[in-house]
Amino acid sequence: MQRFQFHPVVADWFEQRFGSPTAPQEQGWPAIQSGGHTLIAAPTGSGKTLAAFLASLDALFRMGLAGKLTDETQILYVSPLKALSNDIHKNLDEPLAGIRAALRAATGKDIEVRAEVRTGDTSAAKRLAITKKPPHILVTTPSLFICCSLLSPDAVSCPPCAR
């Protein structure tokens, strides 16, 4: 895992939870960590989503440990609605909580990395909360992403993004 340049706590958490990486993860992580656009094409269940989220979480937790994690959306993840629930719980919520706890145990620091899901069904109150305290990771659907891209962010209550 260290050859992928993950923080040691992140690498340990992954190895304890999953063992070794899948081929799509091994091939995808260097490209993701280099900052380039990355497309991982592989069968369902091969670890593509976790590959994207783990590299992103590693970067966000490193920023937090360095005191450089700002209150703005850093990662935008677009997923079809039917895949959203499973993708987020298994590949984002669980790793986020597990890595946060592992870092707290190892360093004594509690780094708050926030993730939110924004779909067309998101309540007005939740949309407002997302704009007031943007998540570091925003997960949305293709149709809402298109709306956010075409309309002003205020029109659909999208948080500002870092880049």
Side-chain angles (χ1 to χ4, degrees):
M1 284 291 296
Q2 290 300 60
R3 68 179 178 267
F4 301 113
Q5 302 173 356
F6 286 118
H7 186 280
V9 174
V10 174
D12 289 346
W13 175 85
F14 180 87
E15 287 174 357
Q16 290 174 7
R17 180 89 162 79
F18 298 101
S20 59
T22 64
Q25 292 165 341
E26 284 187 329
Q27 294 168 13
W29 283 330
I32 294 167
Q33 289 178 329
S34 75
H37 296 285
T38 306
L39 173 64
I40 301 174
T44 299
S46 61
K48 297 181 300 289
T49 303
L50 182 59
F53 282 137
L54 191 67
S56 299
L57 289 171
D58 179 74
L60 292 169
F61 278 114
R62 283 175 184 262
M63 291 169 68
L65 288 168
K68 296 180 180 180
L69 185 60
T70 57
D71 279 338
E72 60 187 356
T73 300
Q74 302 283 333
I75 309 296
L76 177 65
Y77 182 77
V78 181
S79 178
L81 190 57
K82 66 181 178 180
L84 212 52
S85 180
N86 186 49
D87 270 359
I88 299 315
H89 178 67
K90 185 175 96 179
N91 296 305
L92 180 57
D93 291 341
E94 288 179 5
L96 181 58
I99 294 167
R100 184 177 182 179
L103 278 170
R104 188 173 42 243
T107 67
K109 296 181 180 180
D110 186 24
I111 308 299
E112 181 191 23
V113 173
R114 295 182 306 277
E116 293 288 348
V117 176
R118 168 70 166 91
T119 68
D121 294 335
T122 302
S123 70
K126 184 66 170 182
R127 291 193 311 265
L128 183 60
I130 287 173
T131 59
K132 288 187 176 187
K133 190 168 185 178
H136 301 108
I137 302 172
L138 178 64
V139 179
T140 192
T141 59
S143 58
L144 193 58
F145 173 71
I146 291 168
C147 287
C148 284
S149 299
L150 297 176
L151 303 173
S152 72
D154 293 338
V156 290
S157 298
C158 293
C161 289
R163 41 187 169 131

